[in-house]
Amino acid sequence: MTDLTKKIGKRNLKTLRPHRHQQLEFFIADDVDISTFRDEMASMEHPFFALKAGDTKIREYKNGNVTVTVKPTADGLATVFDKDIWIYAISKLQEAINNNQPISRTIAFTPYDFFVTTNRSTSGIAYRELKKALSRLSGTRIQTNIIYSQDDKKTIDFGLIDKWELLEKKKGKLDIGMIEITLPDWLYQGITQTKVLQISPDYFRIRKAIDRRLYEIARKHCGGQHEFAISLEKLHLKTGSSSNKREFKRLVKNLCTTNDLPDYEVFFDPNTDKVTFKNRNQNTSSAEVSRKRDKAKREVFKIKNKILKE
Protein backbone atom coordinates (compact mmCIF):
# COMPACT_ATOMS: atom_id res chain seq x y z
CA MET A 1 0.00 0.00 0.00
CA THR A 2 1.29 3.48 -0.85
CA ASP A 3 2.28 5.61 2.13
CA LEU A 4 0.53 8.91 1.48
CA THR A 5 2.39 10.69 4.27
CA LYS A 6 5.71 10.48 2.43
CA LYS A 7 7.10 13.42 0.45
CA ILE A 8 5.87 13.63 -3.11
CA GLY A 9 6.29 15.97 -6.08
CA LYS A 10 8.78 18.71 -6.74
CA ARG A 11 7.70 20.84 -3.78
CA ASN A 12 7.89 17.92 -1.33
CA LEU A 13 4.23 18.30 -0.30
CA LYS A 14 2.48 15.80 1.95
CA THR A 15 -1.08 14.66 1.52
CA LEU A 16 -1.47 13.91 5.24
CA ARG A 17 0.32 15.42 8.20
CA PRO A 18 2.07 12.98 10.55
CA HIS A 19 0.48 12.24 13.96
CA ARG A 20 1.77 14.88 16.36
CA HIS A 21 0.34 13.45 19.58
CA GLN A 22 0.04 9.93 20.84
CA GLN A 23 -3.61 8.95 21.25
CA LEU A 24 -4.44 7.38 24.61
CA GLU A 25 -6.84 4.48 24.13
CA PHE A 26 -8.36 4.84 27.59
CA PHE A 27 -7.68 6.55 30.89
CA ILE A 28 -7.58 4.31 33.98
CA ALA A 29 -9.20 6.33 36.76
CA ASP A 30 -8.15 4.01 39.58
CA ASP A 31 -4.50 4.96 38.98
CA VAL A 32 -5.19 8.58 39.99
CA ASP A 33 -5.83 9.77 43.55
CA ILE A 34 -8.14 12.76 43.82
CA SER A 35 -7.00 15.72 45.95
CA THR A 36 -9.98 17.94 45.07
CA PHE A 37 -13.39 17.25 43.53
CA ARG A 38 -14.58 19.14 40.44
CA ASP A 39 -17.94 19.73 38.79
CA GLU A 40 -18.79 21.05 35.31
CA MET A 41 -19.94 24.68 35.39
CA ALA A 42 -22.85 24.70 32.90
CA SER A 43 -24.53 21.71 34.55
CA MET A 44 -24.13 23.41 37.94
CA GLU A 45 -25.99 26.48 36.71
CA HIS A 46 -28.64 24.82 34.52
CA PRO A 47 -30.86 21.78 35.23
CA PHE A 48 -29.34 18.98 33.16
CA PHE A 49 -30.25 16.34 35.76
CA ALA A 50 -33.58 15.36 37.31
CA LEU A 51 -34.19 15.49 41.05
CA LYS A 52 -36.09 12.22 41.21
CA ALA A 53 -35.88 8.83 39.55
CA GLY A 54 -38.46 7.76 36.97
CA ASP A 55 -39.05 11.26 35.56
CA THR A 56 -39.93 10.66 31.89
CA LYS A 57 -41.08 14.16 31.02
CA ILE A 58 -39.15 16.14 28.38
CA ARG A 59 -37.75 19.21 30.10
CA GLU A 60 -37.36 22.54 28.34
CA TYR A 61 -35.44 25.27 30.12
CA LYS A 62 -34.65 28.81 29.05
CA ASN A 63 -32.72 31.46 30.96
CA GLY A 64 -31.72 34.57 29.01
CA ASN A 65 -30.04 33.42 25.78
CA VAL A 66 -29.39 29.91 27.13
CA THR A 67 -31.71 27.08 26.11
CA VAL A 68 -31.57 23.51 27.37
CA THR A 69 -33.83 20.65 26.32
CA VAL A 70 -33.47 17.37 28.22
CA LYS A 71 -34.98 14.21 26.71
CA PRO A 72 -35.26 11.07 28.85
CA THR A 73 -34.74 7.40 28.18
CA ALA A 74 -37.66 4.99 28.76
CA ASP A 75 -36.32 4.46 32.29
CA GLY A 76 -36.41 8.19 33.02
CA LEU A 77 -34.00 11.10 33.08
CA ALA A 78 -30.55 10.79 34.61
CA THR A 79 -30.70 12.09 38.18
CA VAL A 80 -28.54 14.32 40.34
CA PHE A 81 -27.26 11.17 42.04
CA ASP A 82 -26.36 9.66 38.64
CA LYS A 83 -24.27 12.78 38.12
CA ASP A 84 -21.80 11.42 40.68
CA ILE A 85 -20.34 9.43 37.77
CA TRP A 86 -19.75 12.69 35.89
CA ILE A 87 -18.14 14.32 38.94
CA TYR A 88 -15.99 11.25 39.56
CA ALA A 89 -14.74 11.24 35.95
CA ILE A 90 -14.22 15.02 35.84
CA SER A 91 -12.27 14.97 39.11
CA LYS A 92 -10.01 12.11 38.02
CA LEU A 93 -9.31 13.74 34.65
CA GLN A 94 -8.63 17.15 36.19
CA GLU A 95 -6.21 15.58 38.66
CA ALA A 96 -4.36 13.91 35.78
CA ILE A 97 -4.22 17.21 33.86
CA ASN A 98 -2.79 18.95 36.94
CA ASN A 99 -0.10 16.26 37.09
CA ASN A 100 0.68 16.54 33.36
CA GLN A 101 -0.59 13.02 32.65
CA PRO A 102 -2.21 12.07 29.31
CA ILE A 103 -6.00 11.69 29.38
CA SER A 104 -8.75 10.35 27.15
CA ARG A 105 -12.50 10.69 26.67
CA THR A 106 -12.75 6.97 27.45
CA ILE A 107 -12.33 6.27 31.15
CA ALA A 108 -12.04 2.87 32.83
CA PHE A 109 -12.59 2.32 36.54
CA THR A 110 -13.55 -0.33 39.06
CA PRO A 111 -16.98 0.07 40.63
CA TYR A 112 -15.29 -0.29 44.03
CA ASP A 113 -13.09 2.80 43.43
CA PHE A 114 -16.13 4.77 42.32
CA PHE A 115 -18.15 3.72 45.39
CA VAL A 116 -15.38 4.54 47.86
CA THR A 117 -14.51 7.85 46.18
CA THR A 118 -18.12 9.06 46.15
CA ASN A 119 -19.02 7.84 49.66
CA ARG A 120 -21.34 5.03 48.51
CA SER A 121 -22.15 1.56 49.73
CA THR A 122 -20.23 -1.32 48.13
CA SER A 123 -23.15 -3.76 48.40
CA GLY A 124 -24.55 -5.90 45.59
CA ILE A 125 -27.48 -3.48 45.29
CA ALA A 126 -25.02 -0.63 44.67
CA TYR A 127 -23.52 -2.54 41.72
CA ARG A 128 -26.97 -3.06 40.19
CA GLU A 129 -27.90 0.58 40.73
CA LEU A 130 -24.64 1.66 39.05
CA LYS A 131 -25.66 -0.15 35.87
CA LYS A 132 -29.07 1.54 35.94
CA ALA A 133 -27.41 4.94 36.41
CA LEU A 134 -25.11 4.31 33.44
CA SER A 135 -28.11 3.37 31.29
CA ARG A 136 -29.93 6.57 32.24
CA LEU A 137 -26.83 8.65 31.52
CA SER A 138 -26.35 7.09 28.08
CA GLY A 139 -30.08 7.36 27.27
CA THR A 140 -30.67 10.95 28.43
CA ARG A 141 -29.96 13.50 25.71
CA ILE A 142 -29.21 17.19 26.04
CA GLN A 143 -29.82 19.78 23.35
CA THR A 144 -28.33 23.17 24.15
CA ASN A 145 -26.64 26.26 22.75
CA ILE A 146 -24.06 26.26 25.56
CA ILE A 147 -20.81 25.53 23.75
CA TYR A 148 -17.08 25.46 24.45
CA SER A 149 -15.69 26.81 21.17
CA GLN A 150 -15.32 29.98 19.12
CA ASP A 151 -18.64 29.40 17.37
CA ASP A 152 -21.36 31.24 19.31
CA LYS A 153 -24.24 30.35 16.98
CA LYS A 154 -24.51 26.63 17.35
CA THR A 155 -26.92 24.21 19.00
CA ILE A 156 -25.61 20.75 19.85
CA ASP A 157 -27.24 17.49 20.91
CA PHE A 158 -25.41 14.86 22.98
CA GLY A 159 -25.92 12.04 25.46
CA LEU A 160 -24.69 12.54 29.02
CA ILE A 161 -22.27 9.72 28.24
CA ASP A 162 -21.61 8.38 24.74
CA LYS A 163 -21.49 4.74 25.79
CA TRP A 164 -20.62 2.40 28.63
CA GLU A 165 -19.36 -1.14 28.86
CA LEU A 166 -18.92 -3.69 31.64
CA LEU A 167 -15.79 -5.63 30.73
CA GLU A 168 -16.47 -9.38 30.65
CA LYS A 169 -12.87 -10.24 29.75
CA LYS A 170 -9.45 -8.67 30.15
CA LYS A 171 -8.68 -5.76 27.83
CA GLY A 172 -5.05 -4.70 27.93
CA LYS A 173 -4.41 -3.37 31.43
CA LEU A 174 -8.09 -3.56 32.32
CA ASP A 175 -9.38 -6.38 34.48
CA ILE A 176 -12.67 -8.25 34.24
CA GLY A 177 -15.47 -6.34 35.95
CA MET A 178 -14.17 -2.85 35.20
CA ILE A 179 -16.52 -0.20 33.83
CA GLU A 180 -15.51 1.67 30.70
CA ILE A 181 -17.35 4.88 29.79
CA THR A 182 -16.86 7.38 26.97
CA LEU A 183 -17.67 10.97 27.86
CA PRO A 184 -19.39 13.23 25.31
CA ASP A 185 -16.98 15.51 23.48
CA TRP A 186 -18.91 18.52 24.82
CA LEU A 187 -18.06 17.59 28.42
CA TYR A 188 -14.49 16.59 27.56
CA GLN A 189 -13.90 19.99 25.92
CA GLY A 190 -15.23 21.67 29.06
CA ILE A 191 -12.75 19.75 31.23
CA THR A 192 -9.75 20.47 28.99
CA GLN A 193 -10.73 24.15 28.88
CA THR A 194 -11.07 24.26 32.69
CA LYS A 195 -14.80 24.95 32.65
CA VAL A 196 -14.98 23.21 36.02
CA LEU A 197 -15.21 24.31 39.65
CA GLN A 198 -13.88 22.76 42.83
CA ILE A 199 -16.62 21.44 45.13
CA SER A 200 -16.63 20.23 48.71
CA PRO A 201 -15.95 16.50 49.32
CA ASP A 202 -18.96 16.70 51.63
CA TYR A 203 -21.13 17.11 48.52
CA PHE A 204 -21.40 13.31 48.40
CA ARG A 205 -22.76 13.30 51.97
CA ILE A 206 -25.76 15.46 51.03
CA ARG A 207 -28.77 13.13 51.26
CA LYS A 208 -31.51 15.03 49.41
CA ALA A 209 -31.43 15.68 45.67
CA ILE A 210 -32.84 19.22 46.06
CA ASP A 211 -30.14 20.08 48.62
CA ARG A 212 -27.43 18.85 46.25
CA ARG A 213 -28.87 21.00 43.51
CA LEU A 214 -29.04 24.05 45.77
CA TYR A 215 -25.41 23.51 46.77
CA GLU A 216 -24.38 23.42 43.09
CA ILE A 217 -26.19 26.69 42.39
CA ALA A 218 -24.67 28.33 45.47
CA ARG A 219 -21.17 27.16 44.51
CA LYS A 220 -21.56 28.36 40.92
CA HIS A 221 -23.01 31.79 41.71
CA CYS A 222 -21.71 32.66 45.16
CA GLY A 223 -18.30 31.06 44.75
CA GLY A 224 -15.79 32.84 46.97
CA GLN A 225 -17.96 35.94 47.38
CA HIS A 226 -19.54 36.73 50.72
CA GLU A 227 -23.11 36.18 49.52
CA PHE A 228 -25.44 35.62 46.58
CA ALA A 229 -29.17 36.46 46.53
CA ILE A 230 -31.76 35.11 44.10
CA SER A 231 -35.55 35.21 43.87
CA LEU A 232 -37.38 32.07 44.92
CA GLU A 233 -39.04 31.92 41.49
CA LYS A 234 -35.74 31.99 39.58
CA LEU A 235 -34.15 29.52 41.98
CA HIS A 236 -37.09 27.17 41.41
CA LEU A 237 -36.45 27.39 37.66
CA LYS A 238 -32.71 26.77 38.01
CA THR A 239 -33.11 23.67 40.17
CA GLY A 240 -35.36 21.95 37.62
CA SER A 241 -37.63 20.89 40.46
CA SER A 242 -40.97 19.38 39.41
CA SER A 243 -42.53 20.46 42.74
CA ASN A 244 -45.01 23.31 42.70
CA LYS A 245 -43.85 26.65 44.09
CA ARG A 246 -45.53 26.15 47.45
CA GLU A 247 -43.81 22.80 48.00
CA PHE A 248 -40.50 24.19 46.74
CA LYS A 249 -40.74 27.04 49.23
CA ARG A 250 -41.29 24.50 52.02
CA LEU A 251 -38.21 22.55 50.95
CA VAL A 252 -36.08 25.71 50.94
CA LYS A 253 -37.39 26.69 54.38
CA ASN A 254 -36.50 23.26 55.71
CA LEU A 255 -32.95 23.66 54.45
CA CYS A 256 -32.77 27.11 56.06
CA THR A 257 -33.81 25.55 59.38
CA THR A 258 -31.25 22.72 59.34
CA ASN A 259 -28.72 24.97 57.60
CA ASP A 260 -26.08 22.26 57.23
CA LEU A 261 -25.18 22.74 53.57
CA PRO A 262 -21.39 22.46 52.95
CA ASP A 263 -19.61 25.84 52.55
CA TYR A 264 -22.79 27.93 52.46
CA GLU A 265 -25.49 29.14 54.85
CA VAL A 266 -28.98 29.52 53.41
CA PHE A 267 -31.50 32.23 54.32
CA PHE A 268 -35.02 32.90 53.09
CA ASP A 269 -36.78 36.25 53.41
CA PRO A 270 -40.57 35.66 53.31
CA ASN A 271 -41.21 39.38 52.78
CA THR A 272 -39.24 39.59 49.52
CA ASP A 273 -39.35 35.89 48.53
CA LYS A 274 -35.56 35.97 48.17
CA VAL A 275 -33.08 33.25 49.02
CA THR A 276 -29.56 34.25 50.08
CA PHE A 277 -26.52 31.97 50.16
CA LYS A 278 -23.66 33.14 52.38
CA ASN A 279 -20.12 31.82 52.33
CA ARG A 280 -19.16 30.07 55.58
CA ASN A 281 -15.45 30.25 54.78
CA GLN A 282 -15.03 34.01 54.88
CA ASN A 283 -13.36 35.36 58.01
CA THR A 284 -13.60 39.12 57.45
CA SER A 285 -14.95 41.22 60.32
CA SER A 286 -17.89 42.41 58.20
CA ALA A 287 -18.73 38.82 57.34
CA GLU A 288 -18.63 37.90 61.04
CA VAL A 289 -20.99 40.75 61.92
CA SER A 290 -23.29 39.67 59.09
CA ARG A 291 -23.23 36.07 60.32
CA LYS A 292 -24.21 37.12 63.86
CA ARG A 293 -27.04 39.23 62.50
CA ASP A 294 -28.24 36.37 60.30
CA LYS A 295 -28.04 33.95 63.22
CA ALA A 296 -30.30 36.23 65.23
CA LYS A 297 -32.74 36.42 62.30
CA ARG A 298 -32.75 32.64 62.06
CA GLU A 299 -33.62 32.31 65.74
CA VAL A 300 -36.52 34.73 65.27
CA PHE A 301 -37.62 32.73 62.20
CA LYS A 302 -37.61 29.49 64.24
CA ILE A 303 -39.65 31.09 67.02
CA LYS A 304 -42.24 32.40 64.54
CA ASN A 305 -42.55 28.96 62.92
CA LYS A 306 -42.99 27.35 66.32
CA ILE A 307 -45.73 29.83 67.25
CA LEU A 308 -47.54 29.25 63.93
CA LYS A 309 -47.44 25.46 64.41
CA GLU A 310 -48.89 25.79 67.91
Side-chain angles (χ1 to χ4, degrees):
M1 181 181 291
T2 304
D3 186 351
L4 298 178
T5 65
K6 289 185 176 179
K7 296 179 181 180
I8 58 173
K10 293 180 180 180
R11 296 167 59 193
N12 293 327
L13 297 176
K14 293 182 180 180
T15 304
L16 301 177
R17 293 190 180 95
H19 290 294
R20 297 185 185 277
H21 307 287
Q22 182 180 0
Q23 297 295 312
L24 189 68
E25 185 181 359
F26 48 76
F27 171 79
I28 303 178
D30 291 43
D31 291 345
V32 175
D33 293 326
I34 294 175
S35 60
T36 56
F37 289 97
R38 307 279 170 165
D39 198 353
E40 191 278 327
M41 292 168 65
S43 66
M44 294 173 77
E45 181 170 0
H46 308 297
F48 284 19
F49 295 84
L51 299 183
K52 63 179 181 180
D55 188 345
T56 57
K57 185 179 179 181
I58 294 176
R59 175 181 300 160
E60 294 183 348
Y61 166 86
K62 187 172 183 179
N63 186 8
N65 295 324
V66 172
T67 60
V68 178
T69 301
V70 189
K71 297 181 180 180
T73 176
D75 295 326
L77 295 167
T79 70
V80 167
F81 294 102
D82 298 339
K83 190 185 181 183
D84 286 0
I85 298 169
W86 255 36
I87 296 174
Y88 171 85
I90 291 167
S91 302
K92 292 277 189 175
L93 290 172
Q94 186 62 56
E95 194 72 36
I97 291 170
N98 294 344
N99 294 326
N100 296 314
Q101 295 174 247
I103 63 171
S104 167
R105 274 208 303 142
T106 299
I107 301 167
F109 60 92
T110 59
Y112 181 81
D113 186 68
F114 168 72
F115 295 147
V116 171
T117 302
T118 58
N119 195 43
R120 292 186 174 218
S121 164
T122 57
S123 66
I125 293 175
Y127 281 81
R128 292 194 292 273
E129 290 301 317
L130 175 58
K131 290 181 184 179
K132 291 179 182 178
L134 290 165
S135 293
R136 286 191 292 267
L137 286 166
S138 62
T140 301
R141 297 203 64 84
I142 305 291
Q143 188 176 103
T144 183
N145 60 355
I146 305 170
I147 57 171
Y148 293 131
S149 70
Q150 298 297 321
D151 187 353
D152 59 356
K153 294 182 179 180
K154 183 167 65 175
T155 297
I156 59 172
D157 186 291
F158 59 92
L160 291 172
I161 58 175
D162 276 3
K163 66 175 183 177
W164 68 277
E165 179 182 352
L166 174 61
L167 301 183
E168 305 288 351
K169 59 181 180 180
K170 287 183 70 67
K171 180 179 178 181
K173 295 180 180 180
L174 307 184
D175 291 325
I176 297 170
M178 291 192 84
I179 300 288
E180 185 181 297
I181 64 172
T182 300
L183 299 179
D185 185 63
W186 180 89
L187 175 60
Y188 187 72
Q189 292 300 322
I191 298 167
T192 57
Q193 295 178 34
T194 62
K195 302 294 185 180
V196 295
L197 283 177
Q198 183 176 335
I199 61 172
S200 169
D202 286 334
Y203 171 84
F204 299 109
R205 298 176 59 205
I206 303 174
R207 291 188 176 92
K208 295 180 180 178
I210 183 63
D211 294 350
R212 286 191 173 207
R213 188 71 192 102
L214 291 171
Y215 171 82
E216 284 190 316
I217 293 168
R219 176 66 187 92
K220 173 62 175 64
H221 290 284
C222 188
Q225 301 176 85
H226 174 50
E227 66 180 49
F228 163 71
I230 185 173
S231 69
L232 185 72
E233 183 177 3
K234 190 167 186 178
L235 185 63
H236 185 214
L237 176 69
K238 278 184 171 291
T239 61
S241 172
S242 58
S243 302
N244 59 41
K245 290 182 182 178
R246 182 176 179 180
E247 173 62 12
F248 180 72
K249 181 186 287 190
R250 186 187 70 79
L251 294 171
V252 171
K253 284 183 176 180
N254 286 346
L255 183 58
C256 291
T257 302
T258 56
N259 209 33
D260 56 359
L261 209 62
D263 298 334
Y264 301 99
E265 295 178 285
V266 189
F267 303 91
F268 174 66
D269 187 339
N271 297 318
T272 61
D273 256 10
K274 282 197 173 182
V275 180
T276 302
F277 298 94
K278 300 203 174 186
N279 197 324
R280 296 180 190 274
N281 302 319
Q282 291 205 348
N283 295 314
T284 62
S285 57
S286 60
E288 183 60 29
V289 170
S290 179
R291 269 196 292 273
K292 288 180 179 179
R293 182 177 64 247
D294 293 331
K295 184 177 180 181
K297 286 182 179 180
R298 189 184 300 113
E299 291 302 319
V300 172
F301 179 72
K302 286 181 180 178
I303 293 170
K304 285 183 178 179
N305 272 354
K306 187 176 179 180
I307 293 171
L308 288 173
K309 288 178 180 178
E310 292 175 350

